[in-house]
Amino acid sequence: MLRLILFAAAVSAAQAASSPFDECAPGKLEPGAITLTCRGGAAVRLQAVTADVVRVRAAAGGQFGESLTVKWGFVKDDWPAVPVRTHTSPQTFSMETASLRVEANLRPFRLKVMDRAGKVVFEESAPAEARPDGSAAQTVAMTAGEHFYGLGFQRMALDVRGKKLQWWRAFRSSEATVPFFLSSRGYGYYSNNTYRHVFDFTGTNSYAVTTGGGQQDYYIFHGPSFRSILDHYTALTGRPMLAPRWALGIGYQSRYLEEQKGVLGTATGFRREDIPLDWIGLEPGWEDVPYAMKWNWSPKRFPNPDQMIREVAA
């Protein structure tokens, strides 16, 4: 038993040594937020965005970088101050909203989020890492019956537990397209870092989120229902406009290298057979250089796209 205790203590000490977020202490409380100053000048900022949403930022150098998603208008940042209550002990700092209790272990920093009944919703199982190569890693506890959904349009699986997905700016058929997922434990996770990510759910008791650069900057949304989580998430990142009626109808997706003649033939065939059809979609082969993001029609396959569109719409 003594050996087990000593081994656990040694592991904890090794983890703390590899993390710059150790020996943290709370600074001045701002409206709904606080910055913890850690050994060596590192800093962690905890912000109650709403009573059900928490933002966490970690800067190994002590200065929080500009958020590109905020700069470009993809993420809302002008939130009213949220009333919070705080408590500090030698080992922990806690911040409470009307819905959540956010507890930070200070030596080293590890985050735990609980609901008002004291049920753990989200919990880091190891200190955050900020590596010399500029990458960062986060390890989060995963319960036996927990399942994970989301990560945008991806073809890997509906439930990504047991899977590893990357998120980055490139064409992909089975990778993540949005750094957001939902947990059956009752929370949502959104990474506000724009570098390449790896979401690794292949562990037994924990999962890992690794970024190729930048600072840790993420949001935790408490539900517990998926409907509530999505409501909080879209309040942060924006809600879609109501789709036009034709977009909700019956559609036909053409082959990758379809041509103008083929599109017109498809439309004619549907009409001849009296089959309802609201739209015809084109794969990126309609461009002169597919996936070049230049949005130029291929003059060879679509010599007169305006005429084609008029004929299909007639």
Side-chain angles (χ1 to χ4, degrees), residues 31-52:
I34 193 166
T35 298
L36 308 177
T37 302
C38 307
R39 179 188 60 196
V44 179
R45 179 176 171 82
L46 305 176
Q47 178 189 0
V49 178
T50 71
D52 296 284

PDB file of all heavy atoms in Angstrom, residues 31-52:
ATOM      1  N   PRO A  31     -15.021  41.183 -13.234  1.00  0.00           N
ATOM      2  CA  PRO A  31     -16.437  40.794 -13.370  1.00  0.00           C
ATOM      3  C   PRO A  31     -16.586  39.446 -14.076  1.00  0.00           C
ATOM      4  O   PRO A  31     -16.348  39.322 -15.270  1.00  0.00           O
ATOM      5  CB  PRO A  31     -17.029  41.933 -14.205  1.00  0.00           C
ATOM      6  CG  PRO A  31     -16.175  43.107 -13.910  1.00  0.00           C
ATOM      7  CD  PRO A  31     -14.792  42.550 -13.750  1.00  0.00           C
ATOM      8  N   GLY A  32     -16.939  38.416 -13.329  1.00  0.00           N
ATOM      9  CA  GLY A  32     -17.180  37.093 -13.892  1.00  0.00           C
ATOM     10  C   GLY A  32     -15.937  36.333 -14.293  1.00  0.00           C
ATOM     11  O   GLY A  32     -16.041  35.290 -14.947  1.00  0.00           O
ATOM     12  N   ALA A  33     -14.737  36.787 -13.946  1.00  0.00           N
ATOM     13  CA  ALA A  33     -13.514  36.124 -14.391  1.00  0.00           C
ATOM     14  C   ALA A  33     -12.383  36.358 -13.407  1.00  0.00           C
ATOM     15  O   ALA A  33     -12.418  37.293 -12.603  1.00  0.00           O
ATOM     16  CB  ALA A  33     -13.108  36.628 -15.783  1.00  0.00           C
ATOM     17  N   ILE A  34     -11.373  35.489 -13.503  1.00  0.00           N
ATOM     18  CA  ILE A  34     -10.184  35.642 -12.682  1.00  0.00           C
ATOM     19  C   ILE A  34      -8.992  35.054 -13.427  1.00  0.00           C
ATOM     20  O   ILE A  34      -9.138  34.118 -14.221  1.00  0.00           O
ATOM     21  CB  ILE A  34     -10.338  34.954 -11.309  1.00  0.00           C
ATOM     22  CG1 ILE A  34      -9.232  35.401 -10.353  1.00  0.00           C
ATOM     23  CG2 ILE A  34     -10.350  33.434 -11.462  1.00  0.00           C
ATOM     24  CD1 ILE A  34      -9.499  35.041  -8.911  1.00  0.00           C
ATOM     25  N   THR A  35      -7.815  35.627 -13.198  1.00  0.00           N
ATOM     26  CA  THR A  35      -6.583  35.111 -13.780  1.00  0.00           C
ATOM     27  C   THR A  35      -5.716  34.533 -12.676  1.00  0.00           C
ATOM     28  O   THR A  35      -5.451  35.214 -11.667  1.00  0.00           O
ATOM     29  CB  THR A  35      -5.811  36.212 -14.533  1.00  0.00           C
ATOM     30  OG1 THR A  35      -6.621  36.700 -15.609  1.00  0.00           O
ATOM     31  CG2 THR A  35      -4.510  35.670 -15.106  1.00  0.00           C
ATOM     32  N   LEU A  36      -5.306  33.280 -12.854  1.00  0.00           N
ATOM     33  CA  LEU A  36      -4.407  32.625 -11.915  1.00  0.00           C
ATOM     34  C   LEU A  36      -2.975  32.786 -12.423  1.00  0.00           C
ATOM     35  O   LEU A  36      -2.687  32.530 -13.592  1.00  0.00           O
ATOM     36  CB  LEU A  36      -4.746  31.141 -11.796  1.00  0.00           C
ATOM     37  CG  LEU A  36      -6.206  30.774 -11.498  1.00  0.00           C
ATOM     38  CD1 LEU A  36      -6.375  29.257 -11.499  1.00  0.00           C
ATOM     39  CD2 LEU A  36      -6.651  31.371 -10.177  1.00  0.00           C
ATOM     40  N   THR A  37      -2.093  33.218 -11.544  1.00  0.00           N
ATOM     41  CA  THR A  37      -0.676  33.357 -11.894  1.00  0.00           C
ATOM     42  C   THR A  37       0.078  32.156 -11.350  1.00  0.00           C
ATOM     43  O   THR A  37      -0.033  31.824 -10.168  1.00  0.00           O
ATOM     44  CB  THR A  37      -0.095  34.650 -11.307  1.00  0.00           C
ATOM     45  OG1 THR A  37      -0.845  35.764 -11.805  1.00  0.00           O
ATOM     46  CG2 THR A  37       1.355  34.812 -11.722  1.00  0.00           C
ATOM     47  N   CYS A  38       0.848  31.509 -12.223  1.00  0.00           N
ATOM     48  CA  CYS A  38       1.511  30.266 -11.856  1.00  0.00           C
ATOM     49  C   CYS A  38       3.031  30.434 -11.838  1.00  0.00           C
ATOM     50  O   CYS A  38       3.556  31.483 -12.230  1.00  0.00           O
ATOM     51  CB  CYS A  38       1.119  29.156 -12.832  1.00  0.00           C
ATOM     52  SG  CYS A  38      -0.676  28.952 -13.033  1.00  0.00           S
ATOM     53  N   ARG A  39       3.715  29.402 -11.392  1.00  0.00           N
ATOM     54  CA  ARG A  39       5.163  29.397 -11.287  1.00  0.00           C
ATOM     55  C   ARG A  39       5.801  29.746 -12.632  1.00  0.00           C
ATOM     56  O   ARG A  39       5.377  29.268 -13.686  1.00  0.00           O
ATOM     57  CB  ARG A  39       5.619  28.011 -10.851  1.00  0.00           C
ATOM     58  CG  ARG A  39       7.134  27.844 -10.719  1.00  0.00           C
ATOM     59  CD  ARG A  39       7.469  26.390 -10.467  1.00  0.00           C
ATOM     60  NE  ARG A  39       7.003  25.539 -11.561  1.00  0.00           N
ATOM     61  CZ  ARG A  39       6.889  24.218 -11.467  1.00  0.00           C
ATOM     62  NH1 ARG A  39       7.159  23.616 -10.337  1.00  0.00           N
ATOM     63  NH2 ARG A  39       6.473  23.513 -12.510  1.00  0.00           N
ATOM     64  N   GLY A  40       6.798  30.607 -12.599  1.00  0.00           N
ATOM     65  CA  GLY A  40       7.506  30.958 -13.820  1.00  0.00           C
ATOM     66  C   GLY A  40       6.789  31.969 -14.686  1.00  0.00           C
ATOM     67  O   GLY A  40       7.225  32.242 -15.806  1.00  0.00           O
ATOM     68  N   GLY A  41       5.690  32.526 -14.200  1.00  0.00           N
ATOM     69  CA  GLY A  41       4.986  33.556 -14.962  1.00  0.00           C
ATOM     70  C   GLY A  41       3.870  33.056 -15.840  1.00  0.00           C
ATOM     71  O   GLY A  41       3.238  33.851 -16.557  1.00  0.00           O
ATOM     72  N   ALA A  42       3.597  31.753 -15.855  1.00  0.00           N
ATOM     73  CA  ALA A  42       2.472  31.230 -16.630  1.00  0.00           C
ATOM     74  C   ALA A  42       1.156  31.727 -16.030  1.00  0.00           C
ATOM     75  O   ALA A  42       1.106  32.136 -14.857  1.00  0.00           O
ATOM     76  CB  ALA A  42       2.503  29.704 -16.648  1.00  0.00           C
ATOM     77  N   ALA A  43       0.098  31.696 -16.815  1.00  0.00           N
ATOM     78  CA  ALA A  43      -1.186  32.215 -16.346  1.00  0.00           C
ATOM     79  C   ALA A  43      -2.338  31.394 -16.908  1.00  0.00           C
ATOM     80  O   ALA A  43      -2.255  30.859 -18.020  1.00  0.00           O
ATOM     81  CB  ALA A  43      -1.354  33.681 -16.752  1.00  0.00           C
ATOM     82  N   VAL A  44      -3.398  31.304 -16.130  1.00  0.00           N
ATOM     83  CA  VAL A  44      -4.633  30.640 -16.543  1.00  0.00           C
ATOM     84  C   VAL A  44      -5.780  31.588 -16.235  1.00  0.00           C
ATOM     85  O   VAL A  44      -5.859  32.134 -15.124  1.00  0.00           O
ATOM     86  CB  VAL A  44      -4.855  29.309 -15.797  1.00  0.00           C
ATOM     87  CG1 VAL A  44      -6.171  28.669 -16.240  1.00  0.00           C
ATOM     88  CG2 VAL A  44      -3.700  28.354 -16.032  1.00  0.00           C
ATOM     89  N   ARG A  45      -6.659  31.793 -17.196  1.00  0.00           N
ATOM     90  CA  ARG A  45      -7.803  32.681 -17.007  1.00  0.00           C
ATOM     91  C   ARG A  45      -9.084  31.860 -17.058  1.00  0.00           C
ATOM     92  O   ARG A  45      -9.325  31.102 -18.012  1.00  0.00           O
ATOM     93  CB  ARG A  45      -7.839  33.761 -18.083  1.00  0.00           C
ATOM     94  CG  ARG A  45      -9.028  34.723 -17.954  1.00  0.00           C
ATOM     95  CD  ARG A  45      -8.938  35.834 -18.994  1.00  0.00           C
ATOM     96  NE  ARG A  45     -10.135  36.638 -19.061  1.00  0.00           N
ATOM     97  CZ  ARG A  45     -10.419  37.641 -18.245  1.00  0.00           C
ATOM     98  NH1 ARG A  45      -9.553  37.957 -17.282  1.00  0.00           N
ATOM     99  NH2 ARG A  45     -11.534  38.334 -18.373  1.00  0.00           N
ATOM    100  N   LEU A  46      -9.901  32.009 -16.023  1.00  0.00           N
ATOM    101  CA  LEU A  46     -11.194  31.355 -15.947  1.00  0.00           C
ATOM    102  C   LEU A  46     -12.280  32.424 -16.084  1.00  0.00           C
ATOM    103  O   LEU A  46     -12.277  33.406 -15.343  1.00  0.00           O
ATOM    104  CB  LEU A  46     -11.361  30.625 -14.610  1.00  0.00           C
ATOM    105  CG  LEU A  46     -10.284  29.601 -14.244  1.00  0.00           C
ATOM    106  CD1 LEU A  46     -10.542  29.044 -12.849  1.00  0.00           C
ATOM    107  CD2 LEU A  46     -10.235  28.481 -15.270  1.00  0.00           C
ATOM    108  N   GLN A  47     -13.198  32.220 -17.018  1.00  0.00           N
ATOM    109  CA  GLN A  47     -14.262  33.191 -17.251  1.00  0.00           C
ATOM    110  C   GLN A  47     -15.610  32.498 -17.295  1.00  0.00           C
ATOM    111  O   GLN A  47     -15.797  31.540 -18.048  1.00  0.00           O
ATOM    112  CB  GLN A  47     -14.037  33.941 -18.573  1.00  0.00           C
ATOM    113  CG  GLN A  47     -15.144  34.934 -18.906  1.00  0.00           C
ATOM    114  CD  GLN A  47     -15.019  35.510 -20.298  1.00  0.00           C
ATOM    115  OE1 GLN A  47     -14.097  35.175 -21.044  1.00  0.00           O
ATOM    116  NE2 GLN A  47     -15.944  36.372 -20.672  1.00  0.00           N
ATOM    117  N   ALA A  48     -16.536  32.986 -16.482  1.00  0.00           N
ATOM    118  CA  ALA A  48     -17.919  32.539 -16.576  1.00  0.00           C
ATOM    119  C   ALA A  48     -18.580  33.356 -17.683  1.00  0.00           C
ATOM    120  O   ALA A  48     -18.959  34.503 -17.478  1.00  0.00           O
ATOM    121  CB  ALA A  48     -18.639  32.732 -15.248  1.00  0.00           C
ATOM    122  N   VAL A  49     -18.679  32.777 -18.875  1.00  0.00           N
ATOM    123  CA  VAL A  49     -19.263  33.485 -20.011  1.00  0.00           C
ATOM    124  C   VAL A  49     -20.748  33.704 -19.781  1.00  0.00           C
ATOM    125  O   VAL A  49     -21.285  34.790 -20.011  1.00  0.00           O
ATOM    126  CB  VAL A  49     -19.024  32.683 -21.305  1.00  0.00           C
ATOM    127  CG1 VAL A  49     -19.669  33.368 -22.506  1.00  0.00           C
ATOM    128  CG2 VAL A  49     -17.530  32.510 -21.543  1.00  0.00           C
ATOM    129  N   THR A  50     -21.421  32.648 -19.340  1.00  0.00           N
ATOM    130  CA  THR A  50     -22.794  32.709 -18.856  1.00  0.00           C
ATOM    131  C   THR A  50     -22.841  31.818 -17.622  1.00  0.00           C
ATOM    132  O   THR A  50     -21.823  31.248 -17.220  1.00  0.00           O
ATOM    133  CB  THR A  50     -23.810  32.211 -19.905  1.00  0.00           C
ATOM    134  OG1 THR A  50     -23.681  30.783 -20.048  1.00  0.00           O
ATOM    135  CG2 THR A  50     -23.604  32.889 -21.263  1.00  0.00           C
ATOM    136  N   ALA A  51     -24.005  31.657 -17.046  1.00  0.00           N
ATOM    137  CA  ALA A  51     -24.124  30.781 -15.878  1.00  0.00           C
ATOM    138  C   ALA A  51     -23.844  29.328 -16.236  1.00  0.00           C
ATOM    139  O   ALA A  51     -23.519  28.521 -15.360  1.00  0.00           O
ATOM    140  CB  ALA A  51     -25.514  30.911 -15.270  1.00  0.00           C
ATOM    141  N   ASP A  52     -23.933  28.960 -17.534  1.00  0.00           N
ATOM    142  CA  ASP A  52     -23.763  27.576 -17.969  1.00  0.00           C
ATOM    143  C   ASP A  52     -22.558  27.366 -18.882  1.00  0.00           C
ATOM    144  O   ASP A  52     -22.341  26.262 -19.369  1.00  0.00           O
ATOM    145  CB  ASP A  52     -25.019  27.106 -18.708  1.00  0.00           C
ATOM    146  CG  ASP A  52     -26.237  27.064 -17.816  1.00  0.00           C
ATOM    147  OD1 ASP A  52     -26.340  26.137 -17.002  1.00  0.00           O
ATOM    148  OD2 ASP A  52     -27.076  27.980 -17.926  1.00  0.00           O
TER     149      ASP A  52
END
